[in-house]
């Protein structure tokens, strides 16, 4: 009889606690699923960042070589005595081509820098603790 009375009085409380435990189990499963998705996305972002870094490492020597070539050409123009108009025109066209390529490389590097900044912001957003709602 005592057990019946205790069960009768605690039934509502036990029911509320059971519902709360079920809700917490569902929330935990949802959090685990979202964490797995975030880790997967972060893995993809890290792969993209590694590829971008490899491309940047590959391009840097080419940029340095073009800058050296441009500087050598500038020095040779300054040190060269009078030359034929055809040679001057050819030299200028070479300088313009090098400057054009140099400009294209700067544009690509700026794009890579923006991409890396975006990846950094995404990583920061993934690693930042979620604000409670």
């Amino acid at each position: 009889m005592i057990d019946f009375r205790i069960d009768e009085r605690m039934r509502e409380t036990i029911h509320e606690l059971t519902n709360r435990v079920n809700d917490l189990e569902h929330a935990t499963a949802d959090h685990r699923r979202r964490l797995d998705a975030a880790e997967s996305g972060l893995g993809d972002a890290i792969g993209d960042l590694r590829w971008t870094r490899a491309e940047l490492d590959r391009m840097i020597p080419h940029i340095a070589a073009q800058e050296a070539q441009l500087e050598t050409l500038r020095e040779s123009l300054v040190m060269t005595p009078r030359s034929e108009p055809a040679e001057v025109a050819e030299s200028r066209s070479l300088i313009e081509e090098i400057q054009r390529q140099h400009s294209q490389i700067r544009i690509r590097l700026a794009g890579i820098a923006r991409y890396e900044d975006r990846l950094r912001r995404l990583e920061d957003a993934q690693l930042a603790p979620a604000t409670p709602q």
Side-chain angles (χ1 to χ4, degrees), residues 61-120:
H62 296 290
I63 294 168
Q66 283 191 344
E67 286 178 345
Q69 185 181 9
L70 181 60
E71 190 57 34
T72 302
L73 190 56
R74 282 185 185 145
E75 289 173 1
S76 69
L77 287 176
V78 170
M79 297 172 57
T80 305
R82 293 277 184 198
S83 57
E84 297 296 320
E87 291 175 335
V88 171
E90 181 182 355
S91 297
R92 286 194 176 141
S93 69
L94 284 174
I95 289 173
E96 289 171 359
E97 177 63 20
I98 291 170
Q99 288 173 338
R100 186 187 64 77
Q101 289 177 4
H102 195 260
S103 174
Q104 288 177 346
I105 290 171
R106 279 196 308 263
I107 291 169
R108 288 180 186 144
L109 287 176
I112 289 171
R114 283 193 301 269
Y115 182 74
E116 286 182 334
D117 184 55
R118 181 171 179 233
L119 284 176
R120 181 193 53 77

Side-chain angles (χ1 to χ4, degrees), residues 13-31:
T13 305
I14 290 172
H15 182 68
E16 289 174 9
L17 289 175
T18 302
N19 288 339
R20 188 170 177 197
V21 167
N22 286 336
D23 290 344
L24 290 173
E25 286 176 351
H26 291 296
T28 300
D30 183 53
H31 289 141

Side-chain angles (χ1 to χ4, degrees), residues 31 34 129-133:
H31 289 141
R34 289 173 41 198
T131 56
Q133 294 180 0

